[in-house]
Amino acid sequence: MYSLKDKVMVVTGASGGIGEALAKEGLKRGAKLAVCARNMDRLKAAFAAVDTGQILFFEADVSIEADCKAFIDATLEKWGRVDVLMNNAGISMRALFEDADLKVIRELMDINFWGTVYCTKYALPSILKHKGNITGVSSIAGYRGLPARTGYSSSKFAMQGFLEALRTELLHTGVNVMWVCPGFTASNIRNTARSASGAVQGESPMDEGKLMSAEECARLICNALQRRRRTLVMTGQGKLTVWVNKLFPALADKLVHKHFLAEPGSPLQKYEV
């Protein structure tokens, strides 16, 4: 089993939610950390209660290539290597494609897809050298297009295609490439989801108290990483969605539409007669 002890683990989008939980889980397992987020104050506040001696904090917007390069360069300067890259930074959306400003979809692609590409590009030489791990935190939306989430689904499909191609390229190098698909998880991604105009929605249509915790999600991801898994779909609902979509796509259309029509304030209500 791959050990995280004394490995250098890089986590993007670590100021809250799954990213914060992943970084703290890595610390528990003995890793040294490099973490980034767009807001340095929020990033440092997230780790105020832990020993920060094993953490490099860096302010970066992963949609900007120069920021990603600077973050990886700072990690190499601080720790001398990168063993594990957790491409976690991401945002979501909730708006019909008809109503959405195209800048919203572009922003999701820039952060969710290009942020993964940029960080992976600059971390790869060290990861190759140390036979490490590249992980993308994706979504069921990367397997099955979700209504009112066209930009989000597109970005996650793109991420998974990139990682699958990269995994195949690196098949005999000792590097493991993995993408993971949490189910509905209690995190801030829905609270920061973009509206049709690109504004932050500021609230979630989900009952967060009934969802998987970010900490449990991080534990499952780190377990899969240490087992050098290829993919991880975390929930029974997620596995069923992937299976039904593969075998009965027309049925999946109907079931997914019904599910998202029923959520509070669903944009799909516009098309109901």
Side-chain angles (χ1 to χ4, degrees):
M1 184 179 289
Y2 185 80
S3 173
L4 287 175
K5 183 171 175 56
D6 295 324
K7 299 295 195 303
V8 176
M9 181 171 162
V10 173
V11 184
T12 65
S15 61
I18 294 173
E20 176 189 346
L22 275 172
K24 290 178 177 177
E25 185 67 26
L27 273 181
K28 289 180 186 177
R29 301 186 189 212
K32 301 172 183 177
L33 289 180
V35 295
C36 79
R38 288 182 288 187
N39 187 308
M40 179 63 85
D41 291 339
R42 190 178 301 162
L43 181 63
K44 288 189 173 181
F47 294 87
V50 303
D51 180 4
T52 59
Q54 295 289 85
I55 307 176
L56 167 69
F57 295 99
F58 198 88
E59 185 173 329
D61 180 342
V62 297
S63 70
I64 301 171
E65 181 180 355
D67 279 17
C68 295
K69 184 178 187 302
F71 176 42
I72 299 301
D73 286 347
T75 302
L76 293 170
E77 183 177 352
K78 169 73 173 179
W79 299 120
R81 59 193 288 166
V82 174
D83 296 287
V84 175
L85 172 61
M86 289 284 189
N87 290 298
N88 166 77
I91 60 171
S92 185
M93 67 174 287
R94 191 167 78 125
L96 297 176
F97 178 71
E98 178 187 14
D99 300 329
D101 192 310
L102 288 177
K103 71 181 182 182
V104 176
I105 295 176
R106 188 174 296 112
E107 182 185 19
L108 266 72
M109 291 298 296
D110 284 344
I111 294 172
N112 299 358
F113 172 65
W114 280 108
T116 296
V117 172
Y118 295 147
C119 289
T120 301
K121 179 67 173 179
Y122 294 111
L124 184 57
S126 184
I127 291 174
L128 272 167
K129 181 178 179 180
H130 300 291
K131 301 184 186 304
N133 181 285
I134 298 165
T135 294
V137 178
S138 186
S139 166
I140 295 303
Y143 284 102
R144 162 73 222 187
L146 303 181
R149 278 95 174 155
T150 49
Y152 185 65
S153 291
S154 298
S155 68
K156 294 304 187 180
F157 267 79
M159 171 196 269
Q160 289 183 200
F162 166 68
L163 292 173
E164 186 169 59
L166 184 63
R167 179 182 176 88
T168 308
E169 287 183 16
L170 302 178
L171 196 59
H172 301 298
T173 65
V175 172
N176 189 62
V177 180
M178 175 179 74
W179 54 99
V180 299
C181 300
F184 294 121
T185 304
S187 70
N188 64 349
I189 191 167
R190 281 172 298 283
N191 300 82
T192 59
R194 300 303 192 249
S195 66
S197 67
V200 174
Q201 293 197 7
E203 61 181 3
S204 169
M206 303 287 185
D207 182 351
E208 300 280 322
K210 296 181 179 179
L211 307 182
M212 179 185 290
S213 70
E215 290 73 21
E216 175 65 9
C217 181
R219 186 185 67 81
L220 293 173
I221 292 172
C222 286
N223 286 348
L225 184 156
Q226 292 192 259
R227 293 187 176 99
R228 312 286 272 187
R229 291 277 299 274
R230 182 179 188 274
T231 61
L232 174 66
V233 178
M234 292 187 193
T235 66
Q237 182 187 44
K239 292 172 184 175
L240 181 62
T241 300
V242 173
W243 181 79
V244 171
N245 192 60
K246 183 178 294 186
L247 297 180
F248 308 103
L251 175 61
D253 288 346
K254 295 175 183 177
L255 293 174
V256 170
H257 183 276
K258 181 179 180 181
H259 176 87
F260 283 94
L261 178 62
E263 72 178 5
S266 172
L268 289 174
Q269 293 172 4
K270 175 179 180 178
Y271 294 139
E272 294 302 296
V273 293

